[in-house]
Amino acid sequence: MQSVRIPDRKQIVDKAKGAFVGLAIGDALGATTEFMTPQEIKLQYGVHKQIIGKGWLYLKAGQVTDDTEMSICIGRAIQKSKGWNLSAVAEEFADWVKGRPIDVGSTCARGIRNYILHQTLEVKPSRWSAGNGALMRMLPVALYTLGSEALLAQYVVEQAHLTHNNPLSDTACIFFGRLLHEAMMGAELGLGPLLMHTKSFVNEYPDFCYDPYPGKSSAFVVDTVQTVFHFLFSTDNFEDCLIGTVNQGGDADTTGALVGMLAGAVYGVEGIPKRWLKRLDSRVYSEVDELAEYLVDHSPVLSSLKD
Ligand code: MN
Ligand code: MN
């Protein structure tokens, strides 16, 4: 491993905010084209590049869905508990479901129902839980564990197993966390080191090989990860990366959220187009902005700088 100068707090906080705001932006932008094919999108929108809401959920412009809402649940649980507390995460999910969210995936719903009825904090292993539902909400764990790969791996899998207990999902959750850590710590290094580590990751786990890109963007975690890698590494700015991803359709709000999170961590808040920032639901914007700062400030890397 090359040694990298540790960026200062301001740089890290900017990348953390870029990641959380980027996730919400990707969700809001991609929800419009969720479940559409690239051909259908082209016919209806030409190129989809404005946050206009609608889609199969009939959203308002700037409204977000479960990807952002479940991520906020995890962030809030850490903040309220002043630390990692899996039961608190499960409680946040339970309250969220009881509030009748606009969308909730079936595997997530099943896991949360299990918790409500039996206080189960880990669903049984299942090859049917290889969806992207645990991956789409793991960002707060990566922010809170910045500086410790061991804590990242432990917490990210614990939160995953509340609803999804599958090795492909676990592997993706851990690796996305590492990419986020690396993007935040190598604040000035851009995509280079991330690409290098992603290449060795797909060598080790060939299921996730994305080159040549198979073109599937379903909620199956392998399709999702391939789509995210393809657009992240074939573009050099936040806007192109997001537009390419959401115009691929399929589970576009989730691939959008994930690519927005990674690209946001690479390019920072200033890399996100202003027209998208203005459109994002302002309450969501201020909550993810505030949570991102809180979580990295309490991570192993930054908490030592504070009293
Ligand atoms: Mn969603
Ligand atoms: Mn989705």
Side-chain angles (χ1 to χ4, degrees):
M1 286 289 267
Q2 65 190 121
S3 71
V4 171
R5 194 177 68 81
I6 294 182
D8 60 25
R9 176 184 175 277
K10 194 177 157 302
Q11 281 178 305
I12 294 177
V13 170
D14 176 69
K15 302 287 176 173
K17 289 184 171 193
F20 218 151
V21 175
L23 178 144
I25 295 266
D27 184 3
L29 183 72
T32 307
T33 54
E34 191 182 18
F35 301 134
M36 294 176 78
T37 67
Q39 294 75 16
E40 288 167 346
I41 297 167
K42 200 175 276 173
L43 217 62
Q44 190 163 347
Y45 298 106
V47 178
H48 171 55
K49 54 184 174 186
Q50 308 294 351
I51 295 181
I52 54 167
K54 304 186 185 141
W56 74 283
L57 291 168
Y58 300 101
L59 299 170
K60 294 191 246 354
Q63 194 176 349
V64 295
T65 72
D66 50 349
D67 313 67
T68 307
E69 289 169 351
M70 293 190 87
S71 300
I72 289 176
C73 285
I74 295 183
R76 275 185 195 152
I78 296 171
Q79 190 177 35
K80 283 188 197 162
S81 310
K82 298 191 166 60
W84 183 247
N85 179 338
L86 192 60
S87 302
V89 175
E91 279 297 320
E92 289 289 333
F93 287 170
D95 287 348
W96 171 72
V97 156
K98 289 172 190 166
R100 298 184 172 272
I102 183 125
D103 191 23
V104 48
S106 56
T107 310
C108 286
R110 199 177 317 128
I112 296 167
R113 198 163 51 234
N114 249 319
Y115 170 75
I116 294 172
L117 295 175
H118 312 292
Q119 285 73 54
T120 322
L121 291 174
E122 181 169 38
V123 295
K124 292 197 176 69
S126 155
R127 63 199 188 95
W128 305 113
S129 60
N132 56 23
L135 181 63
M136 72 183 191
R137 63 180 189 232
M138 52 65 66
L139 172 64
V141 176
L143 301 180
Y144 182 64
T145 59
L146 183 65
S148 171
E149 289 215 2
L151 292 180
L152 166 70
Q154 184 197 330
Y155 300 164
V156 89
V157 169
E158 282 181 12
Q159 73 80 20
H161 288 191
L162 287 170
T163 56
H164 292 65
N165 190 345
N166 180 281
L168 286 169
S169 164
D170 292 352
T171 304
C173 286
I174 294 170
F175 186 66
F176 272 44
R178 290 200 181 133
L179 288 178
L180 287 163
H181 282 188
E182 186 144 37
M184 286 188 279
M185 294 306 289
E188 294 141 336
L189 296 175
L191 283 175
L194 272 55
L195 177 59
M196 201 173 74
H197 289 129
T198 301
K199 282 182 174 163
S200 37
F201 172 75
V202 297
N203 270 334
E204 194 177 344
Y205 300 98
D207 281 319
F208 294 104
C209 184
Y210 64 98
D211 186 18
Y213 175 49
K216 290 184 264 178
S217 50
S218 80
F220 175 38
V221 72
V222 168
D223 293 346
T224 300
V225 168
Q226 287 169 339
T227 300
V228 169
F229 286 163
H230 172 70
F231 288 103
L232 183 67
F233 294 121
S234 62
T235 54
D236 62 4
N237 63 80
F238 186 92
E239 182 173 13
D240 290 346
C241 177
L242 259 284
I243 290 175
T245 305
V246 299
N247 281 276
Q248 187 66 33
D251 196 4
D253 63 322
T254 306
T255 55
L258 288 167
V259 98
M261 152 186 117
L262 289 170
V266 173
Y267 304 114
V269 182
E270 72 278 13
I272 303 177
K274 300 277 178 294
R275 70 176 193 281
W276 289 346
L277 292 174
K278 275 189 214 144
R279 272 285 173 197
L280 181 62
D281 180 313
S282 59
R283 268 179 310 178
V284 170
Y285 189 171
S286 54
E287 180 155 25
V288 296
D289 186 77
E290 187 258 324
L291 274 176
E293 182 161 357
Y294 175 88
L295 292 166
V296 279
D297 263 339
H298 292 79
S299 68
V301 162
L302 289 185
S303 57
S304 56
L305 300 179
K306 308 187 97 195
D307 302 320

